[in-house]
Amino acid sequence: MRSVRARAAIGATLVVAVALVGAGLAVLLVLRANLIDQADLQAEVAAREAAGQLATGTPYEDVELDDEEDHPVQVTDEEDRVVLVSQDLRAVTGTGASGVTPVPSASAGATPSPGDDDDDDDSDEDDDSGRPRRGEVSSDDPDFSDGTATVDRTTADYRFAAVEATTPDGVTLTVYAGAPLAAEQEAVNTVRGAMLTGLPVLLVVVAGVTWLVTRRALRPVEGIRREMAAITASEDLARRVPEPGSRDEIAALARTTNETLTVLEASVERQRRFVADASHELRSPIASLRTQLEVAEAHPELLDLPGAVADTVRLQVLAADLLLLARLDAGEKPGSATVELGALVREEVSQRTGDRIPVAVEAPEGGAFEVNGSRGQLSRVVGNLLDNAQRHAEGSVAVSVAADGRGVRVEVRDDGAGVPEEERERIFERFVRLDDARSRDDGGAGLGLAIARDVASRHGGTLTVHRAAEGGAAFRLWLPRPA
């Protein structure tokens, strides 16, 4: 039962079994009802034929009963006494009277008994009991019943129809005529036997076909599983699972799996580069600081204290950047505090007293520039953009805040060399510097813009670079307004 193929085969077999059993029962019931209706019709015809003869005054001994073996007849009077039976009828059940020996009585054509003269005037009308008129057969639907009859020592099941008839003398008789149920029973038994014989065979076929079809359908899944197991064992994320040529759900699963592997490979490669680049960036200031400390230990008078402090600060900043990137990669949510970007920009610029180029601020006070997010992270973005502009500007740096559609736009511009169009996406990668000729101290570690874009993305916004009107770079941060 742990196998999908087994569960599918068993489930399909059970469903087909229930459907076939239900359909078989319905067929048997309909077939039996139709055959019983035919037997009812035969019994009614035989009963009305005999009743018609009795209603015309035919004496009991002269009533012609055709096909007495297939349609046994029993006639009773108003007191349920048997007055006429078919030839060779030895026993009967299911009728008004079980006897098969006629009682001595007057024939149907005998003179009425005394006391019937008062009813002669009403012979043309129905009596209060609803019985047929004299010399007529009841037009009502006959009553049907199941019973048995022994004809010439052979006992069988019959369907009996009861029809009333009134003789010309005013005697009301009930004619019971039977129709054999042997054909009905044989047909039902034959169909039931065929169903019972064919049902197991059909269920075996359904189970086998379902097993084979499911096995064939799941064969690509097994190939995907084996390849995934091999990828897990080898840790080679460059491998891909086989994609079947079909356009079904399994092919979609294979494509999605390969897309996931591609993203995972890129993520792992990115993490490897990140670790390698971080190690490389940390090694230089640590080596420099160690060298200075070793020199100071041997020659205290040669200690470069400002240089040691600068290297320590650089290590501190780099460690803080790496920690923030780690939190962002871990999916840290920015929070939902309300931040007014105009006030944040003015506050950030006011704290930058050591910048080599004064920053021009275009952020109207009282403006509705509110967004949701982390004030600390957004302040870090603005600071990184201003640091980048200070590093590349020739003589001017400007920052503006304005409404932009359903959001707020913060733009930082400089009059430097700008960013080549083909490099405008690459500069947001981690540890990427376009000014490789510069020293690491002047050029930074290459994490500021990567952190800025990651924070913008976490806040549901964007960070892009364009050409500024001053000729340098224009970094545009767009963040959505609160819903």
Side-chain angles (χ1 to χ4, degrees), residues 231-315:
I231 293 173
T232 303
S234 64
E235 299 183 359
D236 183 8
L237 295 179
R239 299 174 62 172
R240 296 294 181 265
V241 300
E243 294 185 15
S246 59
R247 297 182 179 179
D248 54 11
E249 293 81 356
I250 297 178
L253 172 64
R255 288 192 295 271
T256 303
T257 302
N258 284 335
E259 292 172 359
T260 302
L261 288 173
T262 300
V263 174
L264 183 61
E265 181 186 14
S267 177
V268 171
E269 182 61 28
R270 181 182 180 185
Q271 292 298 324
R272 289 174 178 171
R273 285 202 314 269
F274 177 76
V275 172
D277 292 339
S279 301
H280 182 71
E281 291 293 333
L282 289 171
R283 183 170 52 190
S284 296
I286 291 176
S288 175
L289 183 60
R290 178 180 178 180
T291 300
Q292 294 180 55
L293 293 176
E294 289 177 347
V295 170
E297 182 181 13
H299 306 281
E301 69 280 2
L302 299 179
L303 173 63
D304 183 9
L305 186 59
V309 172
D311 286 338
T312 303
V313 171
R314 184 181 176 191
L315 282 173

Side-chain angles (χ1 to χ4, degrees), residues 37 170 179:
D37 288 342

Side-chain angles (χ1 to χ4, degrees), residues 81-106:
R81 295 179 301 178
V82 178
V83 297
L84 176 64
V85 295
S86 300
Q87 185 179 1
D88 297 331
L89 180 61
R90 299 290 181 263
V92 64
T93 61
T95 61
S98 59
V100 293
T101 303
V103 298
S105 63

Side-chain angles (χ1 to χ4, degrees), residues 339-343 346 363-371 401-403 408 481:
V339 180
E340 212 284 322
L341 287 181
R346 290 192 297 271
E365 295 186 6
F369 304 130
E370 294 182 345
V371 297
V401 182
V408 180
R481 293 179 184 270

Side-chain angles (χ1 to χ4, degrees), residues 439-456:
S439 67
R440 295 186 181 273
D441 293 335
D442 294 335
L447 292 177
L449 294 180
I451 291 175
R453 171 166 278 191
D454 283 353
V455 171

Side-chain angles (χ1 to χ4, degrees), residues 341-342 345 382 385 399-402 408-412 463 475-479:
L341 287 181
V345 168
V382 175
L385 294 179
V399 56
S400 62
V401 182
V408 180
R409 184 185 71 247
V410 178
E411 186 173 83
V412 178
L463 177 61
F475 286 85
R476 294 175 185 172
L477 170 67
W478 182 90
L479 296 173

